[in-house]
Amino acid sequence: MRENFIEKKFAEAVKKTGSMPLKFTSPGTAGVPDRIVLIPGGRILFVELKKPGEKLRPLQEKRKKDFENLGFKVEVVDSIQRIEEVCHEIQTTQLPGIRHPGSD
């Protein structure tokens, strides 16, 4: 299974949750996650997509930690099962990041 297959299936599944799985690039900053998912309610999730069994490169690990230190959730998706788990999380969990409406 290739990474582009995982990425396509991920984008399709996330759209079904009512979220927007935008391709994320940051010129001048290598190693950022592949997708930034905009979730209803002003929530944000970053996602790095990998082919099954592939590990994050050291720079990707660093960027993941940098984002998490800022309070953002970063998921690594490398299988159909992980796609399902992340979509479930999108639908049921208040992810950290942007302040949630009504949480004052």
Side-chain angles (χ1 to χ4, degrees):
M1 196 176 329
R2 299 180 145 198
E3 183 177 320
N4 62 352
F5 176 80
I6 296 287
E7 188 162 12
K8 180 182 177 195
K9 292 298 182 187
F10 176 78
E12 290 170 357
V14 168
K15 287 177 187 175
K16 290 178 183 175
T17 72
S19 302
M20 294 177 62
L22 304 177
K23 185 72 174 164
F24 181 50
T25 59
S26 181
T29 307
V32 297
D34 297 309
R35 295 280 176 159
I36 180 171
V37 180
L38 305 180
I39 303 167
R43 299 179 291 152
I44 294 175
L45 173 66
F46 292 92
V47 178
E48 179 62 40
L49 295 140
K50 294 290 188 186
K51 66 182 177 183
E54 187 177 26
K55 302 292 182 199
L56 295 178
R57 295 186 317 270
L59 182 56
Q60 291 174 318
E61 285 283 359
K62 180 187 180 323
R63 295 290 182 233
K64 181 178 185 293
K65 287 178 186 171
D66 291 344
F67 282 34
E68 290 171 341
N69 287 339
L70 291 171
F72 293 100
K73 179 84 171 173
V74 181
E75 292 286 357
V76 178
V77 172
D78 67 352
S79 68
I80 299 299
Q81 180 179 342
R82 283 295 296 140
I83 291 170
E84 292 169 0
E85 291 167 358
V86 170
C87 286
H88 182 263
E89 183 176 359
I90 286 170
Q91 293 176 306
T92 61
T93 306
Q94 294 289 313
L95 297 168
I98 301 297
R99 184 183 66 78
H100 307 295
S103 65
D104 297 327

